[in-house]
Amino acid sequence: REQLRIPSKFTNDTIKGCSTATLTELMTDLKCRSALLNALEFNEIVEIKKMLGFVNSHWGGIIMDLEGGIKAAFKPCTTSSENTTNEVIASNMDVILGFGFVSPVTSRIIKISEIEKLLHSKNDLKILKETTEKCSIDKKNLIGPMIFWIDDLVMIKTLKKHKLELYQLQELRTYLIQDEYRYLAKETSRFHSLYYLVDILRHGKDEFVQTTEGFLLALDFDRSKWTKYKYPKSITVNFTWCVTCLFDERLYQALNAVGPYAPKQYQLGSLLRLSVNNEKNLGKDIVTQKMANIINDRVSGLLDCIDACIGRYGRENVLLTNNNTKIWKIDKWINYLLDHSNEMGMIDSVINWANIFNK
């Protein structure tokens, strides 16, 4: 990324070179993503689309268009319960582990006068004044994460991530191990593992499917927590996939690469300290050593969970790969998530949820 801190014209040309890429590729191709991050931080703001203000659970967000046809959400307001720097941490974690579930995010400092000159209504100017009073340290600038905006998202609710009964999860495994539903298990186990690592296990928390390419997307990581380690197999957590015992093999390999047996500097916590603390706009030591240690503990906990499953069922009956999983076509995947989202989300009994498969 440091090598791509280049004039915006060249950055825009780089992004145009990625214009034939899918959104999925744009999120996972490091060259395209780096150019996009550079554009999010430095490209000129050409239009303010919406001042979200402080109503309906919004907290000072601003939707804007940037030079080069890029749309972004800027979140300059942090509270004791919602720390917007967590957006940067989650995005970096997503890249390191190869999830592809989190929109590209970088930090940015924006002059308040730069926003003001683009506002035309009294109400928007009033919201900007309120945002300045609540969120600006020096009353001249706003600082926060700039998040790449992705269109065509529909909110869904996947299976509960934790605190289901053991008998329900064991029953669920008998369905998900079938060839027809392994892909559902493969993608959902990856998606939920991200939520475990950031400690947001609330059911249906800001889960979306992108309806043209079919990838799952997670939004709003402000409430991520890094203060405690919760063992995924503990009674208070009972992480769904530690009992269902089905995991994407790529996730397992990625966790091992940054896990407890990797050199200290290559463990996930250390990599996040290096990448996030390089965000000069945010200040020093955003990811502390204590946070890094907790993140490393969570990686170890997930690996312990997967290894226990492998010991119980055998590697071939736990790790899901492209060779042992029938990949669903995009339209089938999207339609399934949309058709069964409410049922998956609202029915507590996994047995009833699993019976949906047979309809």
Side-chain angles (χ1 to χ4, degrees), residues 272-284:
L272 285 171
R273 290 205 75 195
L274 179 65
S275 61
V276 176
N277 292 349
N278 193 45
E279 293 272 350
K280 299 180 178 63
N281 297 328
L282 296 179
K284 296 181 179 179

Side-chain angles (χ1 to χ4, degrees), residues 300-350:
S300 297
L302 271 182
L303 284 171
D304 180 67
C305 164
I306 300 171
D307 286 334
C309 287
I310 291 173
R312 180 177 182 181
Y313 293 107
R315 186 183 182 96
E316 69 281 2
N317 295 313
V318 173
L319 299 182
L320 303 174
T321 71
N322 288 340
N323 291 328
N324 66 13
T325 302
K326 183 166 62 176
I327 307 300
W328 288 8
K329 292 182 178 179
I330 291 177
D331 58 345
K332 177 181 178 180
W333 172 240
I334 294 172
N335 288 334
Y336 186 91
L337 291 173
L338 296 180
D339 290 345
H340 297 301
S341 178
N342 288 335
E343 293 153 297
M344 286 192 292
M346 297 173 67
I347 295 177
D348 289 339
S349 169
V350 180

Side-chain angles (χ1 to χ4, degrees), residues 101 154-159 183-189 191-192 207-217 328-346 353 356-357:
F101 295 140
V154 176
M155 185 175 286
I156 59 172
K157 285 188 176 182
T158 60
L159 179 66
Y183 184 72
L184 180 65
K186 183 172 179 287
E187 293 303 301
T188 311
S189 67
F191 196 48
H192 287 183
E207 300 175 331
F208 295 83
V209 61
Q210 204 281 340
T211 56
T212 58
E213 296 184 21
F215 60 83
L216 294 168
L217 193 79
W328 288 8
K329 292 182 178 179
I330 291 177
D331 58 345
K332 177 181 178 180
W333 172 240
I334 294 172
N335 288 334
Y336 186 91
L337 291 173
L338 296 180
D339 290 345
H340 297 301
S341 178
N342 288 335
E343 293 153 297
M344 286 192 292
M346 297 173 67
W353 178 80
I356 294 168
F357 298 156

Side-chain angles (χ1 to χ4, degrees), residues 71-210:
K71 191 173 182 180
F74 180 58
K75 299 177 73 171
C77 301
T78 282
T79 70
S80 58
S81 61
E82 297 188 11
N83 188 336
T84 57
T85 59
N86 288 334
E87 302 280 5
V88 180
I89 299 173
S91 183
N92 278 266
M93 179 184 290
D94 181 82
V95 173
I96 293 169
L97 292 174
F99 281 127
F101 295 140
V102 183
S103 190
V105 181
T106 190
S107 59
R108 181 162 177 166
I109 300 174
I110 302 177
K111 291 181 180 179
I112 294 169
S113 59
E114 187 179 353
I115 299 173
E116 186 177 22
K117 70 181 183 182
L118 294 171
L119 299 180
H120 306 293
S121 75
K122 290 183 179 180
N123 187 58
D124 281 347
L125 289 168
K126 180 182 177 182
I127 293 173
L128 178 61
K129 182 179 178 181
E130 185 179 9
T131 304
T132 300
E133 291 171 351
K134 292 183 176 180
C135 309
S136 174
I137 296 174
D138 60 5
K139 308 307 177 186
K140 296 179 180 179
N141 300 287
L142 293 171
I143 304 172
M146 185 74 89
I147 305 166
F148 178 56
W149 186 276
I150 295 175
D151 287 317
D152 301 318
L153 298 181
V154 176
M155 185 175 286
I156 59 172
K157 285 188 176 182
T158 60
L159 179 66
K160 284 188 174 181
K161 305 173 184 71
H162 71 146
K163 292 186 177 180
L164 287 165
E165 297 294 335
L166 292 179
Y167 79 89
Q168 295 175 314
L169 295 171
Q170 290 163 351
E171 181 75 13
L172 177 61
R173 177 181 165 82
T174 65
Y175 286 90
L176 292 182
I177 194 66
Q178 297 176 56
D179 290 345
E180 181 65 21
Y181 302 111
R182 285 187 169 212
Y183 184 72
L184 180 65
K186 183 172 179 287
E187 293 303 301
T188 311
S189 67
R190 289 176 63 235
F191 196 48
H192 287 183
S193 293
L194 167 66
Y195 280 98
Y196 168 75
L197 290 169
V198 301
D199 195 12
I200 301 179
L201 291 173
R202 194 178 84 195
H203 177 49
K205 168 62 176 168
D206 295 315
E207 300 175 331
F208 295 83
V209 61
Q210 204 281 340

Side-chain angles (χ1 to χ4, degrees), residues 277-293:
N277 292 349
N278 193 45
E279 293 272 350
K280 299 180 178 63
N281 297 328
L282 296 179
K284 296 181 179 179
D285 217 24
I286 297 300
V287 178
T288 65
Q289 187 58 59
K290 180 180 178 181
M291 289 168 61
N293 292 340

Side-chain angles (χ1 to χ4, degrees), residues 233-261:
K233 293 197 289 184
S234 67
I235 296 175
T236 57
V237 178
N238 195 23
F239 185 54
T240 292
W241 301 96
C242 287
V243 180
T244 306
C245 281
L246 292 166
F247 285 92
D248 176 34
E249 185 182 52
R250 292 173 300 167
L251 170 65
Y252 183 58
Q253 292 170 343
L255 291 173
N256 270 299
V258 297
Y261 298 110

